[in-house]
Amino acid sequence: MAQVIYGSEVSKDIRTQLSEQMEALRGAGARMPKLAVILVGNNPASLSYVTGKEKACAQVGMESELIRLPEATTQDELMAVVRRLNEDPAVDGILCQLPLPRGLDSAQVIREIRPDKDVDGFHPINVGKLHLKEDGFVPCTPLGCMELLHRMGVNPSGKRAVVLGRSNLVGAPVARLLLNENATVTICHSKTENLPQVCAEADILIAAVGRAKMVTAEYVKEGAAVIDVGINRNEQGKLVGDVDFASVEPKAGFITPVPKGVGPMTITMLLKNTLKAYRQHEGE
């Protein structure tokens, strides 16, 4: 039976450490780290996400600013807001909540955010730094996956790792992070042949395809570390992952659940990235 690793508990530990660091800065009379979040339009899911980010900042004592823009905002108006935040010395991290309303170019916005304030890790310069093994900002969900692996006591070096999914948000960056830690990495996708067989060779299996309960026991090697990034709704509206937890848990060595797995780690890594940006800006 697998050891279940709850991201909610790991996240709580990290946030406690962040709170202590915020308290130390406040006690020293220092400027506090600040995250600025841009929300365009009234997408309920996006509003929920940014509210969660605001609450997380408040919980650890970090400053945050939510800039809400109407649905009818033009590209030029949005870019002007990004440029204002780029030049604001009180702002350490900037993110623009995606997806944007139709007609707005998210790629252009991401490129406009200064790389040293790109705490989402999506700017091409930060993507390049990840692939060159240089210090930059890494997307928060892949960073959370790696943190959970380390908490499992799993050292990727020399291990066979399979990443199920190749998105630029999760699959590609987490594969690169594993490779940077000397894992032998295979990226699988919709065109991969003999998919269950390939996945079953993995010591580390990262599932990030967005298909509910796709990964069953036949995909999993005995004793493997399984990280489930999927967030799906089943027919009953219940939140489920990409992994069929019931069939995989008896076979895996470690497994993350959905919910309370990778999800809570994403915002926590965003807070860590913002503190990192702050320390760079302060020359620490």
Side-chain angles (χ1 to χ4, degrees):
M1 188 71 72
Q3 182 178 345
V4 181
I5 305 296
Y6 288 94
S8 53
E9 294 302 314
V10 176
S11 176
K12 193 182 298 182
D13 289 345
I14 295 171
R15 291 190 191 191
T16 297
Q17 295 166 11
L18 288 169
S19 295
E20 292 169 355
Q21 292 175 74
M22 293 302 107
E23 192 60 38
L25 289 171
R26 190 172 288 105
R31 177 180 74 82
M32 299 304 293
K34 182 176 179 179
L35 172 68
V37 181
I38 304 168
L39 175 63
V40 186
N42 301 300
N43 183 310
S46 293
L47 180 58
S48 174
Y49 289 141
V50 299
T51 300
K53 289 164 186 173
E54 279 191 301
K55 287 181 178 177
C57 285
Q59 181 188 19
V60 302
M62 187 176 287
E63 291 186 5
S64 67
E65 178 184 1
L66 173 59
I67 299 101
R68 295 199 63 172
L69 301 174
E71 190 90 14
T73 298
T74 66
Q75 187 78 32
D76 286 345
E77 289 169 340
L78 178 53
M79 301 296 274
V81 171
V82 173
R83 284 191 285 269
R84 174 177 68 78
L85 296 172
N86 278 342
E87 298 307 314
D88 187 344
V91 172
D92 297 293
I94 303 169
L95 70 85
C96 186
Q97 185 65 45
L98 303 178
L100 292 173
R102 186 175 298 176
L104 294 177
D105 184 350
S106 59
Q108 189 179 353
V109 175
I110 289 167
R111 284 175 169 81
E112 189 67 29
I113 295 172
R114 259 175 41 183
D116 62 298
K117 295 191 176 189
D118 168 41
V119 288
D120 255 344
F122 295 156
H123 193 286
I125 286 179
N126 282 318
V127 174
K129 284 185 173 183
L130 172 60
H131 284 263
L132 293 170
K133 296 182 72 172
E134 294 181 4
D135 186 34
F137 291 100
V138 176
C140 301
T141 300
L143 210 52
C145 291
M146 298 304 293
E147 182 71 30
L148 288 173
L149 269 183
H150 297 150
R151 292 294 179 113
M152 292 173 183
V154 176
N155 181 359
S157 183
K159 301 288 197 305
R160 289 290 303 273
V162 170
V163 178
L164 194 49
R166 54 179 168 178
S167 75
N168 290 329
L169 300 181
V170 181
V174 81
R176 190 70 220 191
L177 286 168
L178 287 161
L179 188 61
N180 287 354
E181 293 197 25
N182 301 312
T184 300
V185 183
T186 301
I187 302 176
C188 295
H189 43 77
S190 58
K191 305 297 183 186
T192 302
E193 296 182 357
N194 303 318
L195 185 58
Q197 181 182 334
V198 175
C199 290
E201 295 175 356
D203 304 302
I204 299 167
L205 178 61
I206 313 281
V209 286
R211 291 181 59 186
K213 297 188 177 183
M214 174 183 164
V215 176
T216 56
E218 66 172 331
Y219 284 73
V220 178
K221 179 180 179 179
E222 194 79 37
V226 180
I227 294 188
D228 190 354
V229 185
I231 300 177
N232 314 283
R233 296 278 179 185
N234 64 12
E235 293 174 356
Q236 292 74 42
K238 182 182 177 184
L239 205 62
V240 296
D242 290 349
V243 175
D244 181 18
F245 189 90
S247 72
V248 171
E249 184 191 11
K251 195 172 184 182
F254 299 92
I255 191 170
T256 62
V258 175
K260 299 184 178 180
V262 174
M265 296 296 295
T266 299
I267 292 180
T268 299
M269 293 299 105
L270 175 66
L271 299 178
K272 283 193 74 171
N273 274 353
T274 303
L275 178 58
K276 175 180 175 178
Y278 166 84
R279 296 206 183 281
Q280 289 178 353
H281 294 149
E282 292 299 304
E284 295 184 17

